[in-house]
Amino acid sequence: MLQAALRSGVASRRAVFEVFARHLPDGRRYGVVVGTGRLLEALRDFRFGEEELAFLRDNQVVDARTLDFLSGYRFSGDLYGYREGECYFPGSPIVTVEGTFAEAVLLETVILSILNHDCAIAGAASRMVHAAGSRPLIEMGSRRTHEMAAVAAARAAYVCGFASTSNLMAGHAYGVPTAGTAAHAFTLLHDSEEEAFQAQIDSLGAGTTLLVDTYDVAEAVRTGVELAGPDLGAVRLDSGDLAEVAHAVRKQLDALGAHKTRIIVTSDLDEYTIAALAAAPVDGYGVGTSLVTGSGAPTAALVYKLVAREDAEGVMRPVAKKSVGKPSRGGRKHAFRRLDASGTASAELVTVSGDRPADSRPLQAELVRGGEIVGWEELDAARERHRQAVAELPSTARQLARGYEAIPTVFDR
Amino acid sequence: MLQAALRSGVASRRAVFEVFARHLPDGRRYGVVVGTGRLLEALRDFRFGEEELAFLRDNQVVDARTLDFLSGYRFSGDLYGYREGECYFPGSPIVTVEGTFAEAVLLETVILSILNHDCAIAGAASRMVHAAGSRPLIEMGSRRTHEMAAVAAARAAYVCGFASTSNLMAGHAYGVPTAGTAAHAFTLLHDSEEEAFQAQIDSLGAGTTLLVDTYDVAEAVRTGVELAGPDLGAVRLDSGDLAEVAHAVRKQLDALGAHKTRIIVTSDLDEYTIAALAAAPVDGYGVGTSLVTGSGAPTAALVYKLVAREDAEGVMRPVAKKSVGKPSRGGRKHAFRRLDASGTASAELVTVSGDRPADSRPLQAELVRGGEIVGWEELDAARERHRQAVAELPSTARQLARGYEAIPTVFDR
């Protein structure tokens, strides 16, 4: 596309691309924007080096003129977008890219890859956080997804309210708090469970979390409290009927005087099984597979569409395809969330006019101006924004049951 | 775990970890091993640099002794595994890691991340290839998954028989053939569809693939053939009832004398919709979302379990946890595929003895010996192996309908 557009002379036309979702994952009531920070990092680093150019040249992927363009590539346009942690709905213009066609079209894959992944994880994480109530969640899914996706997943989970991650790289790269527990292999490595627990307590102190279901749970709990005393930090349950076992373990811990020892549960948890444990004496959840796979929705179905471009006279024109069954709306959009008198969201307003409607707050912020990043922010700001954005939605948004969008998207044309 | 094991003195015990699946994705009849090559690359590069060590030190993640161990870390053990492209079944020991506990336990996350991702994509890709018969498949899912997962997904799809990918990085990094088509944005950028097509043909020749559903398909096909002549390479359909539209377009192309112009279809295809188009005049498929999300199974559920380790006397002992509902089998396993007289697979034999059973072929190969990689191979070797491995399975394996494992896994204990 770039090569042909350079040749036909339209590559330098001003263009506007929008990122939006035609629909939410099946049955979800809101989407969550995460990935903006990663996107800005990727944009900053988006260059074609000698190695990449050599590949394209040697394999005759593009012609000399295109290689020349790519060798000097640096995005010089503007980006606007929903801030990280914000909620979105079908049609919300999550990111708007303005630049020449040539420079903007090259960003499609990197922008969509980042947002489709991170928003998918975030959509699931946010529901899990709500299901867990005040109990902390540990992200433990690294082993179940691509090694780099794992780092991004841990970051997304933290934005949505997870307390920590077992992915140390996410701690290193993004400052996500890290936590971990021992695996069954650690117990099996030692000649007895007692030796394993003693080794762990010697090294990490009585406040550590002991995994108690390698052999017999009741025996392991007794051994753990005997060795660590009533200050044992926590025990982890990773199998069986977690509610039933948690009740039994709580009773046993209390009988042993370990009233403060917490019970952490893991074992293929998702938002539904987390919610089902609400009445069980559980103090925290470790979540893996279902988090990193978006709990049934591993991609967010976001698309990147040209909505306006310059014509031969230099006038910006809205454009939209007419493909069957894939509605598109031309024109650069602006977005606002309408709030009722109590401050509860009542509609997503997507307008071409850009005028701010009454009783609404604007949703787009400037992220990049003339190629310079102006939208950096701390991850904790995104985390706090997400907390507020979900709280602002009507209560139906927080129902776990499958349903429809919590608020309607209203277009002005 | 590492810190506590170093302190208790058991970190240096010889240990054997196995990677296996407790079950296949729901309804699948075989699994596909992909990721071995990426795993060997990752193992080669698995070191703790100053930056990583500083993070661990500054955040007091581990103690000084552990930092010292990590700073000199280099895997010095052995790896055995199924070769890339091979099929697997529940319980198949896909990878076996032998080394000290300390050096082997550190590899859990990287090994599982790579294999859980790549095998998940491969399991779906293999079925799509079978569904497509002799028609080529183009991998086009990069925008729907994490930016680095996208590269690995393109690689996995190629091993399973996809013809090409739109991911140029996969071409650069792994030599996967690359291909691409224009998007609707390219047509919309121009003042008319005719101008867009002309620009594309001028730049890429008459053999290019024109996207014909931006406005009106019949008009676009007529315009395309008028401009490119009967040598127009292909048209792409991305919306509507693909079978119906393909029939109409084939008729129109033939009437225009463009008998050799191919019809490529895209639009959220998966193995089922590919199969449903078998009778339609379609010449190739572009597959995106469903490929990169494993078509409903985005992770392969592979686990990494300690199955044997040295005891205090230096004798290797099989070990297994007894957790409820998660069966584990102790002891280092060997694997063979039993073949009947016609060469068709009839069982997966997983034995602790290691003796090769009659009428079987061994499934494990040496990948790493004493820390040195000995199992490198070309990607095309994996691709050819996969073709043979699927052909060797009983025909039930290739049914698209949900079902059970194509062959049983038989354990000797």
Side-chain angles (χ1 to χ4, degrees):
Chain A
M1 284 197 278
L2 174 61
Q3 175 180 312
L6 285 169
R7 183 177 166 128
S8 73
V10 294
S12 59
R13 286 187 172 185
R14 300 285 303 168
V16 183
F17 285 87
E18 282 175 359
V19 175
F20 63 93
R22 290 206 182 89
H23 59 87
L24 295 180
D26 200 22
R28 294 281 176 83
R29 294 161 186 271
Y30 61 95
V32 184
V33 178
V34 172
T36 321
R38 293 214 305 122
L39 191 163
L40 293 177
E41 275 180 48
L43 189 72
R44 179 194 63 198
D45 301 336
F46 200 85
R47 300 283 190 283
F48 292 80
E50 235 346 283
E51 215 181 303
E52 288 86 18
L53 294 169
F55 166 76
L56 297 172
R57 183 168 44 236
D58 297 349
N59 292 275
Q60 295 170 9
V61 176
V62 291
D63 64 15
R65 180 172 179 177
T66 309
L67 284 172
D68 187 54
F69 175 86
L70 294 176
S71 71
Y73 182 80
R74 188 181 176 291
F75 181 69
S76 70
D78 305 322
L79 239 76
Y80 300 85
Y82 280 38
R83 301 311 300 255
E84 197 153 17
E86 187 58 87
C87 295
Y88 73 85
F89 298 91
S92 298
I94 293 172
V95 171
T96 306
V97 180
E98 301 189 353
T100 65
F101 176 80
E103 64 182 350
V105 75
L106 284 182
L107 299 178
E108 171 169 3
T109 301
V110 69
I111 289 179
L112 284 183
S113 291
I114 290 173
L115 293 176
N116 267 322
H117 175 267
D118 291 10
C119 294
I121 306 304
S126 180
R127 285 160 56 86
M128 291 171 186
V129 168
H130 186 71
S134 59
R135 298 171 179 174
L137 291 160
I138 312 174
E139 189 284 305
M140 301 173 71
S142 294
R143 294 162 293 166
R144 303 309 180 94
T145 187
H146 181 279
E147 64 275 23
M148 295 310 297
V151 185
R155 180 185 182 281
Y158 181 70
V159 169
C160 294
F162 270 57
S164 55
T165 177
S166 64
N167 190 299
L168 289 170
M169 180 61 86
H172 180 34
Y174 301 116
V176 179
T178 60
T181 72
H184 296 100
F186 183 78
T187 297
L188 295 172
L189 170 66
H190 291 79
D191 294 322
S192 71
E193 192 169 55
E194 187 176 346
E195 285 179 37
F197 285 0
Q198 190 62 59
Q200 189 174 334
I201 293 161
D202 285 348
S203 176
L204 297 157
T208 192
T209 299
L210 297 175
L211 176 60
V212 293
D213 72 336
T214 305
Y215 304 113
D216 179 83
V217 172
E219 204 176 306
V221 170
R222 189 171 53 245
T223 304
V225 177
E226 266 175 26
L227 296 174
D231 290 335
L232 174 62
V235 295
R236 173 160 78 104
L237 304 171
D238 184 48
S239 57
D241 181 318
L242 294 173
E244 191 179 307
V245 182
H247 276 292
V249 167
R250 182 73 270 159
K251 204 170 155 189
Q252 187 187 4
L253 286 169
D254 288 343
L256 293 167
H259 301 286
K260 287 184 299 183
T261 301
R262 290 169 302 123
I263 298 175
I264 308 296
V265 296
T266 56
S267 192
D268 269 337
L269 296 175
D270 62 15
E271 60 271 45
Y272 303 103
T273 47
I274 290 169
L277 288 165
V282 164
D283 301 286
Y285 305 92
V287 186
T289 306
S290 69
L291 185 274
V292 300
T293 57
S295 197
T299 185
L302 300 172
V303 294
Y304 185 84
K305 296 295 168 191
L306 183 71
V307 295
R309 50 86 183 153
E310 220 173 355
D311 66 12
E313 280 74 47
V315 179
M316 290 300 285
R317 299 285 181 190
V319 293
K321 66 174 173 177
K322 293 173 183 163
S323 308
V324 182
K326 293 182 178 177
S328 291
R329 286 183 179 79
R332 190 238 193 265
K333 275 73 129 217
H334 302 266
F336 307 88
R337 191 151 298 155
R338 177 175 286 155
L339 305 169
D340 67 15
S342 69
T344 302
S346 61
E348 188 84 341
L349 308 173
V350 179
T351 77
V352 172
S353 78
D355 300 332
R356 176 170 171 178
D359 306 320
S360 75
R361 64 182 180 87
L363 292 164
Q364 293 166 318
E366 199 175 22
L367 301 175
V368 175
R369 185 190 309 144
E372 295 304 317
I373 295 168
V374 297
W376 285 120
E377 63 178 5
E378 296 294 318
L379 208 56
D380 280 323
R383 184 174 158 96
E384 174 56 22
R385 178 177 300 109
H386 182 62
R387 203 189 56 70
Q388 291 178 14
V390 172
E392 181 192 79
L393 297 178
S395 61
T396 53
R398 294 176 290 276
Q399 284 183 261
L400 276 187
R402 303 166 76 82
Y404 300 97
E405 295 77 15
I407 57 173
T409 305
V410 179
F411 300 91
D412 69 345
R413 69 160 75 154
Chain B
M1 284 197 277
L2 175 60
Q3 175 179 312
L6 285 169
R7 183 177 166 127
S8 71
V10 294
S12 59
R13 286 187 171 185
R14 301 285 302 169
V16 182
F17 284 87
E18 283 175 0
V19 175
F20 62 94
R22 289 207 182 89
H23 58 87
L24 295 180
D26 200 21
R28 295 280 176 84
R29 294 161 185 270
Y30 60 95
V32 184
V33 178
V34 173
T36 321
R38 293 215 304 122
L39 192 164
L40 294 177
E41 275 180 47
L43 189 72
R44 179 193 64 199
D45 301 337
F46 200 84
R47 300 283 191 284
F48 291 80
E50 235 345 284
E51 215 181 303
E52 288 85 19
L53 294 169
F55 166 76
L56 297 173
R57 184 168 45 237
D58 297 350
N59 292 276
Q60 295 169 8
V61 176
V62 291
D63 65 15
R65 180 173 179 175
T66 309
L67 285 172
D68 187 54
F69 175 87
L70 294 176
S71 71
Y73 182 79
R74 187 180 176 293
F75 181 69
S76 70
D78 305 322
L79 239 76
Y80 300 86
Y82 280 38
R83 302 310 303 254
E84 196 154 16
E86 187 59 86
C87 295
Y88 73 85
F89 298 90
S92 297
I94 294 173
V95 171
T96 306
V97 180
E98 301 188 355
T100 65
F101 175 81
E103 65 182 350
V105 76
L106 284 182
L107 299 178
E108 172 168 3
T109 300
V110 68
I111 289 178
L112 284 183
S113 290
I114 291 173
L115 293 176
N116 267 323
H117 176 267
D118 291 12
C119 293
I121 307 304
S126 180
R127 287 159 57 85
M128 291 170 185
V129 168
H130 186 72
S134 59
R135 298 171 178 174
L137 291 160
I138 312 174
E139 188 286 304
M140 301 173 72
S142 293
R143 292 162 293 166
R144 303 309 180 95
T145 188
H146 182 278
E147 64 275 22
M148 294 311 297
V151 185
R155 181 185 181 281
Y158 182 68
V159 169
C160 294
F162 270 58
S164 55
T165 177
S166 64
N167 190 298
L168 289 169
M169 181 62 85
H172 179 33
Y174 301 116
V176 179
T178 60
T181 73
H184 296 101
F186 183 78
T187 298
L188 295 171
L189 169 68
H190 290 79
D191 295 321
S192 71
E193 192 170 55
E194 187 176 347
E195 285 178 37
F197 286 0
Q198 189 63 59
Q200 188 175 334
I201 293 161
D202 285 348
S203 176
L204 296 157
T208 192
T209 299
L210 297 174
L211 175 61
V212 292
D213 72 337
T214 305
Y215 304 113
D216 179 83
V217 173
E219 204 174 306
V221 170
R222 189 170 54 246
T223 305
V225 177
E226 267 175 26
L227 297 174
D231 290 335
L232 174 62
V235 296
R236 173 160 77 105
L237 303 171
D238 185 47
S239 56
D241 181 318
L242 294 173
E244 191 178 309
V245 182
H247 275 292
V249 167
R250 182 74 269 161
K251 204 170 156 189
Q252 187 186 3
L253 285 170
D254 288 343
L256 294 167
H259 302 287
K260 288 184 299 183
T261 301
R262 290 169 303 124
I263 298 175
I264 308 296
V265 296
T266 57
S267 191
D268 270 337
L269 296 175
D270 62 15
E271 59 271 47
Y272 303 103
T273 47
I274 290 169
L277 288 164
V282 163
D283 302 286
Y285 306 91
V287 187
T289 306
S290 68
L291 185 275
V292 299
T293 58
S295 196
T299 184
L302 300 172
V303 294
Y304 185 84
K305 296 295 168 190
L306 183 70
V307 295
R309 50 88 183 152
E310 222 174 353
D311 68 12
E313 280 73 47
V315 179
M316 290 300 286
R317 300 283 180 192
V319 293
K321 66 174 173 178
K322 292 172 183 163
S323 309
V324 183
K326 293 181 177 178
S328 291
R329 287 182 179 80
R332 190 238 193 266
K333 281 123 191 125
H334 302 266
F336 307 88
R337 191 152 297 155
R338 177 175 286 156
L339 306 169
D340 68 16
S342 69
T344 302
S346 61
E348 189 83 340
L349 308 174
V350 179
T351 79
V352 172
S353 78
D355 301 332
R356 177 169 169 178
D359 307 321
S360 74
R361 65 182 180 87
L363 292 164
Q364 293 167 316
E366 199 176 21
L367 300 175
V368 175
R369 185 191 308 144
E372 294 305 317
I373 296 168
V374 297
W376 285 120
E377 64 178 5
E378 296 294 319
L379 207 56
D380 281 324
R383 185 174 158 96
E384 174 56 21
R385 178 177 300 108
H386 182 63
R387 203 189 56 72
Q388 291 179 13
V390 172
E392 181 192 78
L393 296 178
S395 62
T396 53
R398 292 176 291 277
Q399 283 183 261
L400 275 188
R402 303 166 76 81
Y404 300 97
E405 295 77 15
I407 57 173
T409 305
V410 179
F411 299 92
D412 68 346
R413 69 160 73 153

